Amino acid sequence: MADETAVETTGLEKSYGQVKVLAGVDLSVPRGTVFSLLGPNGAGKTTTVRILSTLVRADAGRVRVAGFDVVRDRRAVRRRISLTGQYAALDGEQTGEENLRMMARLSGLSRRGARERARELLERFDLAGAARRRVGTYSGGMRRRLDIAASLVGRPEVLFLDEPTTGLDPRSRQSMWELVAALAGSGTTVFLTTQYLEEADRLAGRVALLDAGRVVAEGAPADLKQRVAGRRLDLTLADPLAYARVAERLGGAAVLRDPDRLLLGVPTDGSAAQVRALLDEVDPERGAVDRFAVHEATLDDVFLALTGRTATHRADAPENPVSPASPATTREETSRV
């Protein structure tokens, strides 16, 4: 693997019983970047992260992280990575400062070094004012910031963030995005899994769309959106009959179909001439379309075009049928410290 590559997988496969979770995943993540793995629940995102972070062994394929094979050089990988799962792995009875000092001591720092590292991280993550408060009194956003701070105690080369903003309010999510961008700016490679399309669009220089255990598309967000269209014309139909009639006229050109909302979407360049032409084509009688709107194409449009459903669709079966590790176990097993 080249020195500039932080994560590389080739032909990654994993099954749980009869359930094929990963079916040949190839990924390449440059160092010092934010890479996002997108997909619905059940697509294989968390299983991929667990394999990359040495928690689970793949059935087939080759995986290298931070320059080391995750099977042969497991300990070397663990010394260079950190994992923050979907739920904060913190001791609610300790203060924020105590949590970070404990992690620093476990990572081998002296008492003085642990105090300095904790103070540095508390200031960096805007938690100095709450340093001596019990973590159990923190808000959700504060807990997530502290959890990521704990992930950075050992100065990892690669940080895995598994859906880090799930359950956060918009303001806390915005704050988290700023922190993630700053991490990449300081040289840390961030491997992010998320169901929030806006999150990946905002943070990632490169994304991979995962569906049913396979990568269905990969590239820069702007490039992927251009594969669908620069913009999308959304048509809200007057009634179910009008919806059915226009949907038939559009055929495979429709990249969005939502019969519950009587909504159809079709690619467009956004120009007035093309919008008028499309409206005349699908609604020559001028009675089927109730209203319309043009907006920029999104990653969800890309996912819908490639898979037939949105990236926030919840799969029928869970991605990982086995019992998940508790936050504390996850922290310990990945050797975050």
Side-chain angles (χ1 to χ4, degrees), residues 156-167:
E157 296 179 29
V158 182
L159 175 62
F160 294 100
L161 296 179
D162 191 11
E163 303 197 20
T165 61
T166 297

Side-chain angles (χ1 to χ4, degrees), residues 232-244 246-247 250-251 254-266 291 300-301 304 308-310 312:
R232 192 181 75 199
L233 173 64
D234 283 354
L235 308 172
T236 301
L237 286 305
D239 54 53
L241 287 177
Y243 176 89
V246 173
L250 286 173
V255 295
L256 172 64
R257 294 173 181 267
D258 190 338
D260 292 334
R261 292 188 294 162
L262 301 178
L263 184 64
L264 292 165
V266 62
R291 58 186 181 275
D300 213 16
D301 294 332
L304 180 65
R309 64 177 185 273
T310 65
T312 53

